[in-house]
Amino acid sequence: DAPFTEVTTGGAGTLATYPAIDTRFDGPYDSGVAPPDCVLAAGRTSVVSLVNVLIAMYSRDGTLLQGPISLRSFFGIPSEFGIFDPLAIYDPFSDRFIVSVLADYGAGSDSRLYVAFSQTDDAAGAWNVYWIDADAGQPDNWADYGSVGIDRLAVYFTANMFARGGGYSNATLFVYSKDDGYAGLPLRNSHLIDVRTAGGASAYRLRPATVPVAVPGDTFYLAHADSGVGDHINLWRLTGDRFASPALSPDAVALPGLYFTPSKASQPGTSTRVDTLGANLWNVIYEGG
């Protein structure tokens, strides 16, 4: 099939041409659970897909290799924990996969981040599984709304931390050694609690970057957009030893115009308005400087 042309809305409207999709296949179906929190990571030969509480592995042509498997079984999560916000990422530096899910046991005040590292490039092969104390250093909080990034040295997770008594508390950054995870060793790590902007505000929905190539000085960035504000983004440059109290240097970067949508975006030709979650960033990619 030839590429198709689509009209996009906003301003004067522009024409954009996209390549045709050459492979389509059904991923795991989580019995209609809503919303369907679905993520996918594609490697050179295989693909791993997660939706809510299921995981499945495929070849790149869509052949099911393994699963669907419950995340509770895959990670060995105790039955008293609720499971939510799965994540997946492919590591181009090591040709491996990393998947994770948040879990919380409210009655036991126990918040965990479960992480698995593939031992090879085969998503259907063996994995090294860990669980991490997500509320370490802040036992009265629990982790929600995770995000993941990666670079040559580490894998980075962020989460919004909420107080057990109710209400948002802070944004926390979790840094782990990929090499330790692939080898099945104890994870060298660091946790940076309560990440704040240059103006002193809490970084709600903080996003770690994906850095797919080696960059000068192994610079790593995180980003954040103030809800409802479109004239700047907040950036943090991470420096120092990743696993021994790294430093974050915050800055505010002006944008040439309004780059983010309002909290409710209208859909063309209908009265439907879709929640954009307060005009927050979804993906951050950093290359070369």
Side-chain angles (χ1 to χ4, degrees), residues 269-288:
T270 75
S271 60
T272 302
R273 295 176 66 82
V274 174
D275 192 343
T276 63
L277 292 178
N280 288 271
L281 298 177
W282 287 101
N283 298 292
V284 180
I285 298 175
Y286 172 72
E287 291 191 37

Side-chain angles (χ1 to χ4, degrees), residues 28-54:
Y29 176 62
D30 194 16
S31 303
V33 175
D37 289 342
C38 46
V39 293
L40 180 145
R44 293 186 304 109
T45 60
S46 57
V47 174
V48 59
S49 177
L50 296 84
V51 57
N52 288 358
V53 296
L54 294 178

Side-chain angles (χ1 to χ4, degrees), residues 257-273:
L258 185 66
Y259 270 54
F260 301 105
T261 61
S263 59
K264 294 284 187 178
S266 298
Q267 300 303 291
T270 75
S271 60
T272 302
R273 295 176 66 82

Side-chain angles (χ1 to χ4, degrees), residues 72 77-83 103-108 110 112 114:
R72 191 176 301 280
I77 303 173
S79 59
E80 61 267 25
F81 283 79
I83 305 171
D104 188 67
Y105 175 33
D110 193 348
R112 297 181 180 183
Y114 281 84

Side-chain angles (χ1 to χ4, degrees), residues 194-256:
D194 197 11
V195 177
R196 291 188 172 268
T197 69
S202 184
Y204 189 74
R205 293 184 180 131
L206 177 67
R207 300 294 188 187
T210 293
V211 186
V213 296
V215 297
D218 283 319
T219 301
F220 187 80
Y221 280 96
L222 298 99
H224 162 263
D226 286 330
S227 182
V229 179
D231 62 353
H232 73 279
I233 57 174
N234 297 304
L235 293 179
W236 290 260
R237 183 174 183 267
L238 185 145
T239 57
D241 188 330
R242 297 292 196 272
F243 317 116
S245 301
L248 283 179
S249 303
D251 194 10
V253 180
L255 296 176

Side-chain angles (χ1 to χ4, degrees), residues 42-46 60 90 95 97 121:
R44 293 186 304 109
T45 60
S46 57
R60 285 181 62 94
Y90 171 70
D95 194 19
F97 295 91
D121 63 337

